[in-house]
mmCIF file with all atom_site columns, all heavy atoms in Angstrom:
data_model
loop_
_atom_site.group_PDB
_atom_site.id
_atom_site.type_symbol
_atom_site.label_atom_id
_atom_site.label_alt_id
_atom_site.label_comp_id
_atom_site.label_asym_id
_atom_site.label_entity_id
_atom_site.label_seq_id
_atom_site.pdbx_PDB_ins_code
_atom_site.Cartn_x
_atom_site.Cartn_y
_atom_site.Cartn_z
_atom_site.occupancy
_atom_site.B_iso_or_equiv
_atom_site.pdbx_formal_charge
_atom_site.auth_seq_id
_atom_site.auth_comp_id
_atom_site.auth_asym_id
_atom_site.auth_atom_id
_atom_site.pdbx_PDB_model_num
ATOM 1   N N   . ALA A 1 431 ? 30.450 -0.796  -11.031 1.00 0.00 ? 431 ALA A N   1
ATOM 2   C CA  . ALA A 1 431 ? 31.808 -1.238  -11.343 1.00 0.00 ? 431 ALA A CA  1
ATOM 3   C C   . ALA A 1 431 ? 31.784 -2.429  -12.305 1.00 0.00 ? 431 ALA A C   1
ATOM 4   O O   . ALA A 1 431 ? 32.621 -2.529  -13.217 1.00 0.00 ? 431 ALA A O   1
ATOM 5   C CB  . ALA A 1 431 ? 32.545 -1.609  -10.062 1.00 0.00 ? 431 ALA A CB  1
ATOM 6   N N   . ALA A 1 432 ? 30.814 -3.320  -12.109 1.00 0.00 ? 432 ALA A N   1
ATOM 7   C CA  . ALA A 1 432 ? 30.705 -4.489  -12.978 1.00 0.00 ? 432 ALA A CA  1
ATOM 8   C C   . ALA A 1 432 ? 30.107 -4.135  -14.332 1.00 0.00 ? 432 ALA A C   1
ATOM 9   O O   . ALA A 1 432 ? 30.392 -4.807  -15.339 1.00 0.00 ? 432 ALA A O   1
ATOM 10  C CB  . ALA A 1 432 ? 29.864 -5.560  -12.297 1.00 0.00 ? 432 ALA A CB  1
ATOM 11  N N   . HIS A 1 433 ? 29.280 -3.077  -14.361 1.00 0.00 ? 433 HIS A N   1
ATOM 12  C CA  . HIS A 1 433 ? 28.596 -2.671  -15.597 1.00 0.00 ? 433 HIS A CA  1
ATOM 13  C C   . HIS A 1 433 ? 28.707 -1.152  -15.741 1.00 0.00 ? 433 HIS A C   1
ATOM 14  O O   . HIS A 1 433 ? 27.718 -0.428  -15.570 1.00 0.00 ? 433 HIS A O   1
ATOM 15  C CB  . HIS A 1 433 ? 27.138 -3.110  -15.553 1.00 0.00 ? 433 HIS A CB  1
ATOM 16  C CG  . HIS A 1 433 ? 26.946 -4.584  -15.362 1.00 0.00 ? 433 HIS A CG  1
ATOM 17  N ND1 . HIS A 1 433 ? 27.076 -5.496  -16.388 1.00 0.00 ? 433 HIS A ND1 1
ATOM 18  C CD2 . HIS A 1 433 ? 26.682 -5.310  -14.248 1.00 0.00 ? 433 HIS A CD2 1
ATOM 19  C CE1 . HIS A 1 433 ? 26.867 -6.717  -15.926 1.00 0.00 ? 433 HIS A CE1 1
ATOM 20  N NE2 . HIS A 1 433 ? 26.622 -6.631  -14.628 1.00 0.00 ? 433 HIS A NE2 1
ATOM 21  N N   . PRO A 1 434 ? 29.889 -0.645  -16.047 1.00 0.00 ? 434 PRO A N   1
ATOM 22  C CA  . PRO A 1 434 ? 30.116 0.810   -16.068 1.00 0.00 ? 434 PRO A CA  1
ATOM 23  C C   . PRO A 1 434 ? 29.320 1.552   -17.133 1.00 0.00 ? 434 PRO A C   1
ATOM 24  O O   . PRO A 1 434 ? 29.234 2.779   -17.085 1.00 0.00 ? 434 PRO A O   1
ATOM 25  C CB  . PRO A 1 434 ? 31.625 0.928   -16.318 1.00 0.00 ? 434 PRO A CB  1
ATOM 26  C CG  . PRO A 1 434 ? 32.036 -0.375  -16.916 1.00 0.00 ? 434 PRO A CG  1
ATOM 27  C CD  . PRO A 1 434 ? 31.129 -1.399  -16.333 1.00 0.00 ? 434 PRO A CD  1
ATOM 28  N N   . PHE A 1 435 ? 28.734 0.844   -18.085 1.00 0.00 ? 435 PHE A N   1
ATOM 29  C CA  . PHE A 1 435 ? 27.939 1.495   -19.129 1.00 0.00 ? 435 PHE A CA  1
ATOM 30  C C   . PHE A 1 435 ? 26.565 1.948   -18.624 1.00 0.00 ? 435 PHE A C   1
ATOM 31  O O   . PHE A 1 435 ? 25.861 2.702   -19.295 1.00 0.00 ? 435 PHE A O   1
ATOM 32  C CB  . PHE A 1 435 ? 27.749 0.533   -20.305 1.00 0.00 ? 435 PHE A CB  1
ATOM 33  C CG  . PHE A 1 435 ? 27.008 -0.732  -19.945 1.00 0.00 ? 435 PHE A CG  1
ATOM 34  C CD1 . PHE A 1 435 ? 25.625 -0.793  -19.983 1.00 0.00 ? 435 PHE A CD1 1
ATOM 35  C CD2 . PHE A 1 435 ? 27.706 -1.870  -19.555 1.00 0.00 ? 435 PHE A CD2 1
ATOM 36  C CE1 . PHE A 1 435 ? 24.943 -1.947  -19.649 1.00 0.00 ? 435 PHE A CE1 1
ATOM 37  C CE2 . PHE A 1 435 ? 27.035 -3.043  -19.228 1.00 0.00 ? 435 PHE A CE2 1
ATOM 38  C CZ  . PHE A 1 435 ? 25.642 -3.082  -19.267 1.00 0.00 ? 435 PHE A CZ  1
ATOM 39  N N   . LEU A 1 436 ? 26.157 1.485   -17.442 1.00 0.00 ? 436 LEU A N   1
ATOM 40  C CA  . LEU A 1 436 ? 24.830 1.821   -16.933 1.00 0.00 ? 436 LEU A CA  1
ATOM 41  C C   . LEU A 1 436 ? 24.735 3.300   -16.547 1.00 0.00 ? 436 LEU A C   1
ATOM 42  O O   . LEU A 1 436 ? 25.564 3.780   -15.769 1.00 0.00 ? 436 LEU A O   1
ATOM 43  C CB  . LEU A 1 436 ? 24.487 0.975   -15.707 1.00 0.00 ? 436 LEU A CB  1
ATOM 44  C CG  . LEU A 1 436 ? 24.159 -0.504  -15.915 1.00 0.00 ? 436 LEU A CG  1
ATOM 45  C CD1 . LEU A 1 436 ? 24.001 -1.187  -14.567 1.00 0.00 ? 436 LEU A CD1 1
ATOM 46  C CD2 . LEU A 1 436 ? 22.897 -0.672  -16.749 1.00 0.00 ? 436 LEU A CD2 1
ATOM 47  N N   . PRO A 1 437 ? 23.737 4.038   -17.027 1.00 0.00 ? 437 PRO A N   1
ATOM 48  C CA  . PRO A 1 437 ? 23.498 5.389   -16.508 1.00 0.00 ? 437 PRO A CA  1
ATOM 49  C C   . PRO A 1 437 ? 23.196 5.335   -15.010 1.00 0.00 ? 437 PRO A C   1
ATOM 50  O O   . PRO A 1 437 ? 22.605 4.359   -14.526 1.00 0.00 ? 437 PRO A O   1
ATOM 51  C CB  . PRO A 1 437 ? 22.277 5.865   -17.314 1.00 0.00 ? 437 PRO A CB  1
ATOM 52  C CG  . PRO A 1 437 ? 22.241 4.996   -18.533 1.00 0.00 ? 437 PRO A CG  1
ATOM 53  C CD  . PRO A 1 437 ? 22.797 3.670   -18.107 1.00 0.00 ? 437 PRO A CD  1
ATOM 54  N N   . ALA A 1 438 ? 23.582 6.375   -14.278 1.00 0.00 ? 438 ALA A N   1
ATOM 55  C CA  . ALA A 1 438 ? 23.444 6.372   -12.818 1.00 0.00 ? 438 ALA A CA  1
ATOM 56  C C   . ALA A 1 438 ? 22.000 6.159   -12.382 1.00 0.00 ? 438 ALA A C   1
ATOM 57  O O   . ALA A 1 438 ? 21.720 5.389   -11.453 1.00 0.00 ? 438 ALA A O   1
ATOM 58  C CB  . ALA A 1 438 ? 23.994 7.677   -12.248 1.00 0.00 ? 438 ALA A CB  1
ATOM 59  N N   . ARG A 1 439 ? 21.075 6.827   -13.047 1.00 0.00 ? 439 ARG A N   1
ATOM 60  C CA  . ARG A 1 439 ? 19.667 6.716   -12.639 1.00 0.00 ? 439 ARG A CA  1
ATOM 61  C C   . ARG A 1 439 ? 19.147 5.305   -12.861 1.00 0.00 ? 439 ARG A C   1
ATOM 62  O O   . ARG A 1 439 ? 18.418 4.757   -12.027 1.00 0.00 ? 439 ARG A O   1
ATOM 63  C CB  . ARG A 1 439 ? 18.834 7.737   -13.410 1.00 0.00 ? 439 ARG A CB  1
ATOM 64  C CG  . ARG A 1 439 ? 17.354 7.741   -13.047 1.00 0.00 ? 439 ARG A CG  1
ATOM 65  C CD  . ARG A 1 439 ? 16.666 8.958   -13.614 1.00 0.00 ? 439 ARG A CD  1
ATOM 66  N NE  . ARG A 1 439 ? 15.222 8.909   -13.439 1.00 0.00 ? 439 ARG A NE  1
ATOM 67  C CZ  . ARG A 1 439 ? 14.466 9.929   -13.105 1.00 0.00 ? 439 ARG A CZ  1
ATOM 68  N NH1 . ARG A 1 439 ? 15.025 11.117  -12.886 1.00 0.00 ? 439 ARG A NH1 1
ATOM 69  N NH2 . ARG A 1 439 ? 13.168 9.815   -12.987 1.00 0.00 ? 439 ARG A NH2 1
ATOM 70  N N   . LEU A 1 440 ? 19.522 4.688   -13.970 1.00 0.00 ? 440 LEU A N   1
ATOM 71  C CA  . LEU A 1 440 ? 19.079 3.323   -14.243 1.00 0.00 ? 440 LEU A CA  1
ATOM 72  C C   . LEU A 1 440 ? 19.688 2.348   -13.247 1.00 0.00 ? 440 LEU A C   1
ATOM 73  O O   . LEU A 1 440 ? 19.009 1.458   -12.724 1.00 0.00 ? 440 LEU A O   1
ATOM 74  C CB  . LEU A 1 440 ? 19.456 2.930   -15.668 1.00 0.00 ? 440 LEU A CB  1
ATOM 75  C CG  . LEU A 1 440 ? 19.182 1.467   -16.053 1.00 0.00 ? 440 LEU A CG  1
ATOM 76  C CD1 . LEU A 1 440 ? 17.715 1.111   -15.867 1.00 0.00 ? 440 LEU A CD1 1
ATOM 77  C CD2 . LEU A 1 440 ? 19.630 1.199   -17.486 1.00 0.00 ? 440 LEU A CD2 1
ATOM 78  N N   . ALA A 1 441 ? 20.980 2.503   -12.961 1.00 0.00 ? 441 ALA A N   1
ATOM 79  C CA  . ALA A 1 441 ? 21.639 1.608   -12.010 1.00 0.00 ? 441 ALA A CA  1
ATOM 80  C C   . ALA A 1 441 ? 20.966 1.682   -10.647 1.00 0.00 ? 441 ALA A C   1
ATOM 81  O O   . ALA A 1 441 ? 20.735 0.652   -9.990  1.00 0.00 ? 441 ALA A O   1
ATOM 82  C CB  . ALA A 1 441 ? 23.115 1.960   -11.900 1.00 0.00 ? 441 ALA A CB  1
ATOM 83  N N   . ARG A 1 442 ? 20.637 2.901   -10.224 1.00 0.00 ? 442 ARG A N   1
ATOM 84  C CA  . ARG A 1 442 ? 19.992 3.060   -8.920  1.00 0.00 ? 442 ARG A CA  1
ATOM 85  C C   . ARG A 1 442 ? 18.616 2.384   -8.915  1.00 0.00 ? 442 ARG A C   1
ATOM 86  O O   . ARG A 1 442 ? 18.259 1.703   -7.954  1.00 0.00 ? 442 ARG A O   1
ATOM 87  C CB  . ARG A 1 442 ? 19.848 4.543   -8.583  1.00 0.00 ? 442 ARG A CB  1
ATOM 88  C CG  . ARG A 1 442 ? 19.240 4.799   -7.215  1.00 0.00 ? 442 ARG A CG  1
ATOM 89  C CD  . ARG A 1 442 ? 19.119 6.303   -6.925  1.00 0.00 ? 442 ARG A CD  1
ATOM 90  N NE  . ARG A 1 442 ? 18.665 6.541   -5.574  1.00 0.00 ? 442 ARG A NE  1
ATOM 91  C CZ  . ARG A 1 442 ? 17.386 6.519   -5.196  1.00 0.00 ? 442 ARG A CZ  1
ATOM 92  N NH1 . ARG A 1 442 ? 16.448 6.248   -6.088  1.00 0.00 ? 442 ARG A NH1 1
ATOM 93  N NH2 . ARG A 1 442 ? 17.058 6.749   -3.942  1.00 0.00 ? 442 ARG A NH2 1
ATOM 94  N N   . ARG A 1 443 ? 17.857 2.538   -10.003 1.00 0.00 ? 443 ARG A N   1
ATOM 95  C CA  . ARG A 1 443 ? 16.542 1.907   -10.046 1.00 0.00 ? 443 ARG A CA  1
ATOM 96  C C   . ARG A 1 443 ? 16.655 0.392   -10.042 1.00 0.00 ? 443 ARG A C   1
ATOM 97  O O   . ARG A 1 443 ? 15.849 -0.305  -9.383  1.00 0.00 ? 443 ARG A O   1
ATOM 98  C CB  . ARG A 1 443 ? 15.772 2.380   -11.285 1.00 0.00 ? 443 ARG A CB  1
ATOM 99  C CG  . ARG A 1 443 ? 14.360 1.792   -11.349 1.00 0.00 ? 443 ARG A CG  1
ATOM 100 C CD  . ARG A 1 443 ? 13.574 2.298   -12.535 1.00 0.00 ? 443 ARG A CD  1
ATOM 101 N NE  . ARG A 1 443 ? 14.102 1.847   -13.808 1.00 0.00 ? 443 ARG A NE  1
ATOM 102 C CZ  . ARG A 1 443 ? 13.921 0.625   -14.304 1.00 0.00 ? 443 ARG A CZ  1
ATOM 103 N NH1 . ARG A 1 443 ? 13.236 -0.293  -13.624 1.00 0.00 ? 443 ARG A NH1 1
ATOM 104 N NH2 . ARG A 1 443 ? 14.404 0.308   -15.498 1.00 0.00 ? 443 ARG A NH2 1
ATOM 105 N N   . LEU A 1 444 ? 17.623 -0.153  -10.740 1.00 0.00 ? 444 LEU A N   1
ATOM 106 C CA  . LEU A 1 444 ? 17.782 -1.605  -10.760 1.00 0.00 ? 444 LEU A CA  1
ATOM 107 C C   . LEU A 1 444 ? 18.116 -2.140  -9.375  1.00 0.00 ? 444 LEU A C   1
ATOM 108 O O   . LEU A 1 444 ? 17.594 -3.194  -8.962  1.00 0.00 ? 444 LEU A O   1
ATOM 109 C CB  . LEU A 1 444 ? 18.871 -2.000  -11.761 1.00 0.00 ? 444 LEU A CB  1
ATOM 110 C CG  . LEU A 1 444 ? 18.552 -1.754  -13.243 1.00 0.00 ? 444 LEU A CG  1
ATOM 111 C CD1 . LEU A 1 444 ? 19.743 -2.123  -14.106 1.00 0.00 ? 444 LEU A CD1 1
ATOM 112 C CD2 . LEU A 1 444 ? 17.307 -2.511  -13.676 1.00 0.00 ? 444 LEU A CD2 1
ATOM 113 N N   . VAL A 1 445 ? 18.969 -1.445  -8.632  1.00 0.00 ? 445 VAL A N   1
ATOM 114 C CA  . VAL A 1 445 ? 19.282 -1.868  -7.268  1.00 0.00 ? 445 VAL A CA  1
ATOM 115 C C   . VAL A 1 445 ? 18.050 -1.772  -6.388  1.00 0.00 ? 445 VAL A C   1
ATOM 116 O O   . VAL A 1 445 ? 17.767 -2.687  -5.585  1.00 0.00 ? 445 VAL A O   1
ATOM 117 C CB  . VAL A 1 445 ? 20.436 -1.024  -6.695  1.00 0.00 ? 445 VAL A CB  1
ATOM 118 C CG1 . VAL A 1 445 ? 20.559 -1.219  -5.181  1.00 0.00 ? 445 VAL A CG1 1
ATOM 119 C CG2 . VAL A 1 445 ? 21.750 -1.406  -7.369  1.00 0.00 ? 445 VAL A CG2 1
ATOM 120 N N   . ARG A 1 446 ? 17.292 -0.683  -6.519  1.00 0.00 ? 446 ARG A N   1
ATOM 121 C CA  . ARG A 1 446 ? 16.112 -0.491  -5.682  1.00 0.00 ? 446 ARG A CA  1
ATOM 122 C C   . ARG A 1 446 ? 14.949 -1.393  -6.066  1.00 0.00 ? 446 ARG A C   1
ATOM 123 O O   . ARG A 1 446 ? 14.005 -1.556  -5.296  1.00 0.00 ? 446 ARG A O   1
ATOM 124 C CB  . ARG A 1 446 ? 15.676 0.981   -5.729  1.00 0.00 ? 446 ARG A CB  1
ATOM 125 C CG  . ARG A 1 446 ? 16.508 1.902   -4.845  1.00 0.00 ? 446 ARG A CG  1
ATOM 126 C CD  . ARG A 1 446 ? 16.545 1.388   -3.424  1.00 0.00 ? 446 ARG A CD  1
ATOM 127 N NE  . ARG A 1 446 ? 17.125 2.316   -2.470  1.00 0.00 ? 446 ARG A NE  1
ATOM 128 C CZ  . ARG A 1 446 ? 17.420 1.987   -1.228  1.00 0.00 ? 446 ARG A CZ  1
ATOM 129 N NH1 . ARG A 1 446 ? 17.212 0.758   -0.798  1.00 0.00 ? 446 ARG A NH1 1
ATOM 130 N NH2 . ARG A 1 446 ? 17.939 2.867   -0.401  1.00 0.00 ? 446 ARG A NH2 1
ATOM 131 N N   . SER A 1 447 ? 15.012 -2.005  -7.229  1.00 0.00 ? 447 SER A N   1
ATOM 132 C CA  . SER A 1 447 ? 13.950 -2.917  -7.651  1.00 0.00 ? 447 SER A CA  1
ATOM 133 C C   . SER A 1 447 ? 14.338 -4.385  -7.476  1.00 0.00 ? 447 SER A C   1
ATOM 134 O O   . SER A 1 447 ? 13.518 -5.202  -7.067  1.00 0.00 ? 447 SER A O   1
ATOM 135 C CB  . SER A 1 447 ? 13.601 -2.672  -9.124  1.00 0.00 ? 447 SER A CB  1
ATOM 136 O OG  . SER A 1 447 ? 13.099 -1.375  -9.334  1.00 0.00 ? 447 SER A OG  1
ATOM 137 N N   . TYR A 1 448 ? 15.603 -4.709  -7.800  1.00 0.00 ? 448 TYR A N   1
ATOM 138 C CA  . TYR A 1 448 ? 15.994 -6.104  -7.879  1.00 0.00 ? 448 TYR A CA  1
ATOM 139 C C   . TYR A 1 448 ? 17.083 -6.506  -6.890  1.00 0.00 ? 448 TYR A C   1
ATOM 140 O O   . TYR A 1 448 ? 17.358 -7.696  -6.734  1.00 0.00 ? 448 TYR A O   1
ATOM 141 C CB  . TYR A 1 448 ? 16.459 -6.427  -9.305  1.00 0.00 ? 448 TYR A CB  1
ATOM 142 C CG  . TYR A 1 448 ? 15.426 -6.073  -10.347 1.00 0.00 ? 448 TYR A CG  1
ATOM 143 C CD1 . TYR A 1 448 ? 15.562 -4.932  -11.134 1.00 0.00 ? 448 TYR A CD1 1
ATOM 144 C CD2 . TYR A 1 448 ? 14.300 -6.857  -10.522 1.00 0.00 ? 448 TYR A CD2 1
ATOM 145 C CE1 . TYR A 1 448 ? 14.607 -4.594  -12.089 1.00 0.00 ? 448 TYR A CE1 1
ATOM 146 C CE2 . TYR A 1 448 ? 13.338 -6.536  -11.467 1.00 0.00 ? 448 TYR A CE2 1
ATOM 147 C CZ  . TYR A 1 448 ? 13.499 -5.387  -12.247 1.00 0.00 ? 448 TYR A CZ  1
ATOM 148 O OH  . TYR A 1 448 ? 12.540 -5.062  -13.175 1.00 0.00 ? 448 TYR A OH  1
ATOM 149 N N   . GLY A 1 449 ? 17.715 -5.542  -6.239  1.00 0.00 ? 449 GLY A N   1
ATOM 150 C CA  . GLY A 1 449 ? 18.764 -5.881  -5.287  1.00 0.00 ? 449 GLY A CA  1
ATOM 151 C C   . GLY A 1 449 ? 19.881 -6.684  -5.954  1.00 0.00 ? 449 GLY A C   1
ATOM 152 O O   . GLY A 1 449 ? 20.336 -6.371  -7.051  1.00 0.00 ? 449 GLY A O   1
ATOM 153 N N   . THR A 1 450 ? 20.307 -7.755  -5.303  1.00 0.00 ? 450 THR A N   1
ATOM 154 C CA  . THR A 1 450 ? 21.386 -8.569  -5.862  1.00 0.00 ? 450 THR A CA  1
ATOM 155 C C   . THR A 1 450 ? 20.971 -9.294  -7.136  1.00 0.00 ? 450 THR A C   1
ATOM 156 O O   . THR A 1 450 ? 21.835 -9.709  -7.923  1.00 0.00 ? 450 THR A O   1
ATOM 157 C CB  . THR A 1 450 ? 21.866 -9.605  -4.825  1.00 0.00 ? 450 THR A CB  1
ATOM 158 O OG1 . THR A 1 450 ? 20.755 -10.399 -4.393  1.00 0.00 ? 450 THR A OG1 1
ATOM 159 C CG2 . THR A 1 450 ? 22.482 -8.913  -3.611  1.00 0.00 ? 450 THR A CG2 1
ATOM 160 N N   . ASP A 1 451 ? 19.676 -9.429  -7.376  1.00 0.00 ? 451 ASP A N   1
ATOM 161 C CA  . ASP A 1 451 ? 19.219 -10.041 -8.627  1.00 0.00 ? 451 ASP A CA  1
ATOM 162 C C   . ASP A 1 451 ? 19.519 -9.165  -9.832  1.00 0.00 ? 451 ASP A C   1
ATOM 163 O O   . ASP A 1 451 ? 19.428 -9.637  -10.974 1.00 0.00 ? 451 ASP A O   1
ATOM 164 C CB  . ASP A 1 451 ? 17.715 -10.325 -8.569  1.00 0.00 ? 451 ASP A CB  1
ATOM 165 C CG  . ASP A 1 451 ? 17.394 -11.609 -7.824  1.00 0.00 ? 451 ASP A CG  1
ATOM 166 O OD1 . ASP A 1 451 ? 18.332 -12.374 -7.526  1.00 0.00 ? 451 ASP A OD1 1
ATOM 167 O OD2 . ASP A 1 451 ? 16.200 -11.840 -7.540  1.00 0.00 ? 451 ASP A OD2 1
#
Side-chain angles (χ1 to χ4, degrees):
H433 302 281
F435 61 87
L436 287 174
R439 181 168 172 140
L440 174 58
R442 182 180 186 277
R443 182 178 67 77
L444 292 177
V445 167
R446 281 306 190 190
S447 297
Y448 305 103
T450 56
D451 279 350

